[in-house]
Amino acid sequence: MNKTPMDLSLENLNGAVQLVLPEAVLLATVCMIFFAAPFLVSERGEAPAGLRHRWGWLSMLSLLVAGWIGWNAAEVPHTTGPFVADGLTLFIRGLTIASGAILVLLHWNQADDSRSAESHACLLAILAGVNLVAASNDLIGLFVALELISIPTYLFLLLPRRDAPAQEATLKYFLLSIFSSAIVLFGMSYLYGATGTTNLMAIHQAFANGSNLPHNSLVAVATVMLIAGLGFRLTAVPFHFYAPDVFQGAQPSAAAMLSFVPKVAGLVALLRLVVPAAAGETTMHSWMMIPAATNVLWWLAVITMFTGNLMALMQTDIRRLLAFSSVSHAGYMLVGLVVGMQSSQRVSGIAALLFYLTVYGVMTLGAFAVLIAAARSNRRIENLDDLAGLSRTKPALALILSVFLFSLTGLPPTAGFLGKFNLFFAAWSQGSESCRWLACLLGANAALGAWYYLKVIGVMYLRDPVDRSEDVRPIEAPSLVAAAVCMIGTVGLFFAPGPLWTHIQSVVGSVG
């Protein structure tokens, strides 16, 4: 019996929904929270005491359900539909859900009872957007997924508190975010004009069949626009200048989210454009943007590393320091992307990139967890003076933060050491002069970053507390749990990196 066009459409729609079922669970929870929240808050903005705990538990339950569905999902690497469920999709989905659980713990007490519902809903929407970026097999779906990240982020920055610094941070991020979105859309339109399709698989096939496409002027414009627009999400120089002000003005949990989640989205979006070029020689010319893109990203990586580290040296505000640290780590990740675009590398640059992305998420979210847990009853941690003597007042938190700072530096026995070593080895083993220069510059920047990370440790252990008044505020349990989990991951991945590295290599092998 022949199927009607309506039957085929419903079958394709059902298949597409099956590929993004975990994200559908997260978005269904978002809709439920937005619908139920107004009924639990009075017209005067009063809410029952402890309401934020209920929304926190609901968010955790939603992430657990989405994670369970994603864990049991099967790979569907080849499809012409709007979504794909290959190894990269499943890996990013697991990484996002795990980091989302940490972020829920960090945000648990950052918003009051009357605003916590919307805050948690926005966070879940952001996480769903990142997963949809990874699953996108079409330029239109990719852009919509990126906007699903951006729009809730504006609310997530503003909802916890609405003072002047938070409003300024939100406005700066809003204006620059819509500008970057316009640039990305502009680049996608030119890519569509060059290939005649929005499907990513069809675009790669068009490049494989058309030898003149890499030299097309439309492709050149698309390449520059896409790198520029996605560079905003990576906080790559010169698209980084919003980061220090936004990190300083936002709540610590929001700054933690900005330090990691947009990087995942930006890198995955670039990987969807670059990975088929790196998966093997059979697809080497399918879509590498253009050969000049390698040189552009090379310089972008170098400038980003140096700018982030040099600017971090001059900071006394701890969140501005972590903002510039985030910039420098974006440069390290770009090293893996550049090496991954080369055809002759002996060690996979993409695998090194994904390993470092995982490690970076553990150690940077852990650092923000300690800052939240160490906040005093009368003020939060803002500058280095607030950390002075932390080893005497809260020795456990000082030790945990030191572990994260050692890892960010790249010192053993932490996962940060293996992350930087993998990137260095991938760049060096590629064999070309440019990549070996990149490896040397990465090593120099790692040494440069050690200066300001170790300075923070020195402040905690070698200086007396500035404020000697007794802190009656108990340490927040959710942020303390998050810090402990991240510390276990940071140390554990150093001693047992094999399972993660093996999985990442299989992910890279399945893409393309």
Side-chain angles (χ1 to χ4, degrees):
M1 179 178 179
N2 294 330
K3 294 182 179 180
T4 65
M6 178 62 71
D7 293 333
L8 292 174
S9 298
L10 291 175
E11 185 177 331
N12 292 334
L13 180 61
N14 182 63
V17 172
Q18 291 295 324
L19 295 179
V20 292
L21 195 55
E23 292 70 47
V25 170
L26 294 178
L27 292 177
T29 306
V30 170
C31 295
M32 183 177 67
I33 292 176
F34 276 129
F35 177 79
F39 294 99
L40 301 177
V41 180
S42 68
E43 295 181 357
R44 293 176 295 181
E46 298 175 351
L51 183 61
R52 64 185 183 277
H53 302 307
R54 304 177 197 174
W55 299 124
W57 283 115
L58 179 60
S59 299
M60 292 294 289
L61 178 62
S62 175
L63 289 170
L64 287 174
V65 173
W68 181 81
I69 296 174
W71 180 269
N72 293 282
E75 287 191 27
V76 187
H78 302 294
T79 177
T80 58
F83 302 113
V84 62
D86 57 7
L88 180 62
T89 302
L90 301 184
F91 175 78
I92 294 300
R93 183 179 287 161
L95 178 62
T96 303
I97 290 175
S99 61
I102 298 298
L103 286 168
V104 168
L105 292 174
L106 298 188
H107 194 64
W108 200 282
N109 293 315
Q110 292 290 288
D112 58 32
D113 292 319
S114 62
R115 299 173 183 173
S116 60
E118 292 81 0
S119 294
H120 282 289
C122 288
L123 179 57
L124 294 179
I126 293 168
L127 299 173
V130 175
N131 288 345
L132 289 174
V133 169
S136 294
N137 194 37
D138 190 275
L139 292 178
I140 297 174
L142 182 62
F143 179 77
V144 172
L146 288 171
E147 289 306 291
L148 183 58
I149 300 170
S150 297
I151 296 173
T153 299
Y154 312 146
L155 297 175
F156 190 70
L157 291 174
L158 185 61
L159 280 172
R161 73 177 207 275
R162 300 180 183 179
D163 54 8
Q167 292 177 2
E168 180 183 355
T170 304
L171 184 60
K172 286 181 179 179
Y173 189 86
F174 169 74
L175 293 174
L176 294 172
S177 178
I178 59 175
F179 180 67
S180 72
S181 297
I183 293 176
V184 169
L185 189 60
F186 188 61
M188 288 181 174
S189 67
Y190 270 66
L191 185 57
Y192 169 75
T195 59
T197 180
T198 60
N199 185 272
L200 288 178
M201 183 176 292
I203 289 174
H204 293 300
Q205 191 62 42
F207 274 81
N209 297 333
S211 59
N212 63 326
L213 270 178
H215 306 288
N216 192 316
S217 58
L218 292 179
V219 175
V221 174
T223 300
V224 174
M225 294 296 102
L226 289 171
I227 292 177
L230 295 174
F232 167 84
R233 300 181 185 275
L234 299 176
T235 59
V237 176
F239 317 106
H240 72 293
F241 45 84
Y242 72 94
D245 292 338
V246 174
F247 276 51
Q248 186 178 23
Q251 284 285 83
S253 59
M257 187 276 294
L258 288 176
S259 70
F260 179 63
V261 174
K263 280 185 173 56
V264 177
L267 286 169
V268 172
L270 284 173
L271 287 174
R272 281 301 176 201
L273 300 173
V274 175
V275 161
E281 294 184 359
T282 57
T283 56
M284 183 57 208
H285 300 290
S286 62
W287 169 229
M288 242 178 71
M289 294 185 172
I290 56 174
T294 304
N295 296 327
V296 172
L297 290 171
W298 192 97
W299 281 106
L300 198 64
V302 172
I303 295 172
T304 300
M305 286 188 293
F306 275 103
T307 301
N309 283 319
L310 291 174
M311 293 300 296
L313 287 173
M314 298 182 287
Q315 305 305 314
T316 57
D317 185 285
I318 187 64
R319 282 170 298 163
R320 292 182 71 88
L321 185 149
L322 290 175
F324 283 112
S325 167
S326 176
V327 173
S328 66
H329 285 275
Y332 302 150
M333 296 175 196
L334 285 172
V335 171
L337 187 62
V338 172
V339 176
M341 293 177 68
Q342 309 298 318
S343 60
S344 59
Q345 80 271 17
R346 301 187 187 113
V347 178
S348 173
I350 302 300
L353 165 62
L354 293 177
F355 184 86
Y356 193 81
L357 182 62
T358 305
V359 170
Y360 173 74
V362 172
M363 55 193 182
T364 194
L365 293 181
F368 277 102
V370 174
L371 295 183
I372 295 172
R376 300 178 65 85
S377 56
N378 56 347
R379 69 174 186 274
R380 58 184 182 177
I381 302 294
E382 293 186 352
N383 51 53
L384 294 181
D385 288 339
D386 295 330
L387 289 173
L390 187 65
S391 61
R392 304 176 191 177
T393 57
K394 298 176 180 178
L397 291 179
L399 176 61
I400 295 174
L401 182 56
S402 298
V403 170
F404 297 133
L405 293 173
F406 276 122
S407 187
L408 288 166
T409 304
L411 297 176
T414 62
F417 169 77
L418 292 182
K420 284 188 173 65
F421 179 79
N422 285 335
L423 288 174
F424 177 88
F425 193 62
W428 186 267
S429 64
Q430 198 277 334
S432 67
E433 184 179 356
S434 63
C435 284
R436 291 196 169 181
W437 269 107
L438 199 59
C440 293
L441 294 173
L442 188 153
N445 273 276
L448 191 61
W451 182 274
Y452 57 86
Y453 291 129
L454 297 180
K455 178 178 70 174
V456 177
I457 296 176
V459 167
M460 292 190 296
Y461 281 90
L462 301 179
R463 286 178 52 183
D464 295 326
V466 174
D467 186 0
R468 296 179 179 272
S469 61
E470 184 178 354
D471 186 9
V472 297
R473 174 183 177 270
I475 297 177
E476 291 186 2
S479 57
L480 185 60
V481 170
V485 170
C486 290
M487 186 185 71
I488 293 172
T490 300
V491 178
L493 284 175
F494 174 82
F495 290 102
L500 177 61
W501 180 251
T502 302
H503 177 66
I504 287 175
Q505 287 182 313
S506 66
V507 167
V508 174
S510 71
V511 178

